[in-house]
Amino acid sequence: MEKYLSEPYPVYTYRYFLTTWPDLCILAMKGTECIGCIVSKISPQKSTKALKGYIAMLAVEEEYRRLGLGRKLVQLTLDKMKKMDVSECVLETETENLAALRLYES
């Protein structure tokens, strides 16, 4: 999955997300192969203390793209965040990443 990230994180960052927000780190598996993943977190907003979500990473193996897997991972994450009373969720992507922009705008 690392080859699909514009900014690959060091292993300790993944460990931090997995141990702090395990319910917001989802793997899509096909047998024993990881074909997609999403890594997210929540934190209180400084001004209002309302919970804010952040999608740090979304990656899908090339051969499984355009099948709705990325959309499903995002929807699962947003559903979990809603149950945690998250008021908003943000993410970042590069302006050149047209596939990601189309997914996030849909």
Side-chain angles (χ1 to χ4, degrees):
M1 304 271 55
E2 203 169 332
K3 63 185 172 186
Y4 301 116
L5 302 175
S6 58
E7 296 179 40
Y9 294 112
V11 70
Y12 69 87
T13 302
Y14 293 114
R15 201 172 297 142
Y16 173 65
F17 275 82
L18 284 167
T19 57
T20 310
W21 303 280
D23 292 341
L24 298 176
C25 300
I26 304 168
L27 299 178
M29 304 293 292
K30 183 173 183 181
T32 59
E33 178 187 7
C34 179
I35 60 170
C37 67
I38 190 166
V39 175
S40 307
K41 71 174 191 161
I42 57 172
S43 58
Q45 295 183 40
K46 291 177 182 167
S47 58
T48 65
K49 304 295 183 210
L51 292 177
K52 182 177 186 176
Y54 176 69
I55 296 175
M57 180 184 87
L58 172 65
V60 175
E61 287 285 347
E62 250 182 278
E63 65 185 276
Y64 295 99
R65 292 181 185 173
R66 302 196 56 81
L67 300 174
L69 182 55
R71 180 174 281 110
K72 180 69 173 174
L73 289 167
V74 170
Q75 192 59 57
L76 283 169
T77 298
L78 294 176
D79 290 346
K80 287 179 180 226
M81 286 182 179
K82 283 180 190 175
K83 289 179 183 175
M84 297 172 173
D85 293 325
V86 170
S87 61
E88 68 177 299
C89 181
V90 297
L91 55 83
E92 301 171 57
T93 192
E94 295 178 4
T95 57
E96 299 84 27
N97 190 341
L98 298 179
L101 291 171
R102 282 193 300 269
L103 170 66
Y104 301 142
E105 290 171 348
S106 67

